[in-house]
Amino acid sequence: MYDVIIIGGGFAGLAAATQLGRARRKVLVLDTGKPRNRFAAHAHGFLSRDGAVPGDLLAEARRQLEIYGTVELRNAEAIAASGELDGFSIELASHQQLAARRLIIAHGVTDDTSGIPGMAECWGKTVLHCPYCHGYEVADRRLGLMLRDGDLLDRARFFQEWTSDLTLFANGGPVDPIVRAALADIGVKLVEEALVRFDHRDGVLQSVVTTAGSTPLDAIFVHAPIQLASNLGIQLGCETKAGMAGDFFLVDHLQQTSIPGVYAAGDAARPMHNISFAVADGAGAGVFAHQSLVATSVARGK
């Protein structure tokens, strides 16, 4: 039996494994090799590694984990989960059954880029989801923002931090006349009609086409719908909450879900996403899962 099985070998999962490895616990990391940010050429905002290639960061993290002999990395997909504290069971796609005392869900989320033609080709290049991750690199250019929900005026003011040439796309949603006038006052262009497609050249956005015509742009920020990358936490009964783009697992201050012994970290456990958050959450999940293991042993007099 493993002390901890970590579902997901991205930034959150590897950060958790590092803490547990340093605590000399028997850990298994299960990963399918498809990190969410594989579409981005560079990762930004991560302390001391700004601009690094995401895959290089993960490869280095895996290499550094090799010194911890109690940590095992395996390229495998978990398809089922059951059990309870000190007795969890994981089934792999190969039908192998694994047992663990604790679980850490770090499989992240997947972005649905199928809704608008051209979006998938531009994703991570010029159709972007996070201004903190990508805003600096496209600052002072012709930028767009496609709204899914939230206050139009507040969002417009926020994105003006990166450009004075901003076009807001309501995508057919209602716009209050007062808001329309306020956007004009602060110099934000508004396109109210529904989006049709993103015109691009090899992923480089050229314009956004709506039912009203074409708007030339260099990049656009879009909150694409997301979904949890696995339903294992749902199988275990972990409580979720609806975020701006999709559901995420509710965790407490110890990164523990509503199910004792099941922890969650990274994009699957918070509405805001970036590498720094994922690493912090993962490190916390690893530390708190270890402390839980110690507490259980003490309670049993071992």
Side-chain angles (χ1 to χ4, degrees), residues 1-4 16-27 65 67-72 101 286 290 293-294:
M1 175 178 282
Y2 292 96
D3 288 318
V4 183
T18 299
Q19 302 302 318
L20 288 160
R22 294 186 62 79
R24 304 186 297 178
R25 288 292 181 164
K26 186 178 181 183
V27 179
L65 276 170
I67 70 171
Y68 303 113
T70 59
V71 177
E72 177 186 350
R101 297 175 64 191
H290 172 247
L293 290 165
V294 173

Side-chain angles (χ1 to χ4, degrees), residues 32-51:
T32 59
K34 296 179 180 179
R36 183 187 182 192
N37 64 354
R38 65 189 182 276
F39 302 101
H42 302 93
H44 294 286
F46 189 39
L47 189 64
S48 84
R49 299 303 303 275
D50 191 26

Side-chain angles (χ1 to χ4, degrees), residues 23-293:
R24 304 186 297 178
R25 288 292 181 164
K26 186 178 181 183
V27 179
L28 174 64
V29 180
L30 299 172
D31 186 41
T32 59
K34 296 179 180 179
R36 183 187 182 192
N37 64 354
R38 65 189 182 276
F39 302 101
H42 302 93
H44 294 286
F46 189 39
L47 189 64
S48 84
R49 299 303 303 275
D50 191 26
V53 177
D56 290 350
L57 290 174
L58 292 172
E60 177 62 15
R62 288 191 292 267
R63 187 193 68 77
Q64 292 183 11
L65 276 170
E66 292 175 0
I67 70 171
Y68 303 113
T70 59
V71 177
E72 177 186 350
L73 303 176
R74 191 184 304 184
N75 188 352
E77 181 184 5
I79 60 171
S82 59
E84 58 187 11
L85 185 72
D86 285 323
F88 293 105
S89 178
I90 294 292
E91 181 182 354
L92 302 183
S94 64
H95 302 300
Q96 181 181 3
Q97 300 287 331
L98 304 171
R101 297 175 64 191
R102 302 290 185 275
L103 297 178
I104 296 178
I105 297 172
H107 52 56
V109 299
T110 58
D111 300 284
D112 182 1
T113 59
S114 64
I116 301 172
M119 185 174 176
E121 293 84 350
C122 297
W123 188 247
K125 304 182 184 84
T126 51
V127 175
L128 311 166
H129 83 287
C130 171
Y132 292 107
C133 300
H134 305 288
Y136 187 88
E137 283 63 42
V138 295
D140 298 323
R141 302 176 70 182
R142 299 172 301 177
L143 303 184
L145 171 63
M146 185 183 116
L147 280 179
R148 295 187 70 237
D149 55 19
D151 185 279
L152 277 70
L153 193 55
D154 284 348
R155 295 290 173 81
R157 287 171 173 151
F158 177 74
F159 276 86
Q160 280 188 310
E161 291 289 292
W162 285 273
T163 186
S164 59
D165 190 348
L166 178 66
T167 302
L168 193 152
F169 294 86
N171 196 25
V175 179
D176 188 287
I178 296 176
V179 172
R180 188 184 297 115
L183 290 171
D185 287 342
I186 63 174
V188 173
K189 296 180 284 291
L190 174 65
V191 177
E192 300 185 46
E193 291 76 14
L195 272 71
V196 174
R197 67 180 184 273
F198 295 127
D199 281 345
H200 65 96
R201 294 176 185 169
D202 297 324
V204 178
L205 184 67
Q206 303 297 303
S207 64
V208 174
V209 180
T210 70
T211 55
S214 179
T215 302
L217 285 182
D218 297 303
I220 186 171
F221 288 90
V222 174
H223 293 122
I226 62 172
Q227 61 181 11
L228 296 168
S230 169
N231 68 351
L232 295 180
I234 304 300
Q235 292 178 24
L236 290 163
C238 299
E239 186 178 353
T240 62
K241 183 177 181 179
M244 180 172 59
D247 292 346
F248 61 96
F249 291 112
L250 281 177
V251 296
D252 62 15
H253 65 289
L254 302 179
Q255 294 297 138
Q256 188 168 218
T257 69
S258 59
I259 301 300
V262 180
Y263 299 78
D267 292 359
R270 60 162 56 242
M272 292 184 65
H273 307 145
N274 66 31
I275 292 177
S276 299
F277 286 144
V279 170
D281 290 350
V287 167
F288 296 129
H290 172 247
Q291 292 180 359
S292 172
L293 290 165

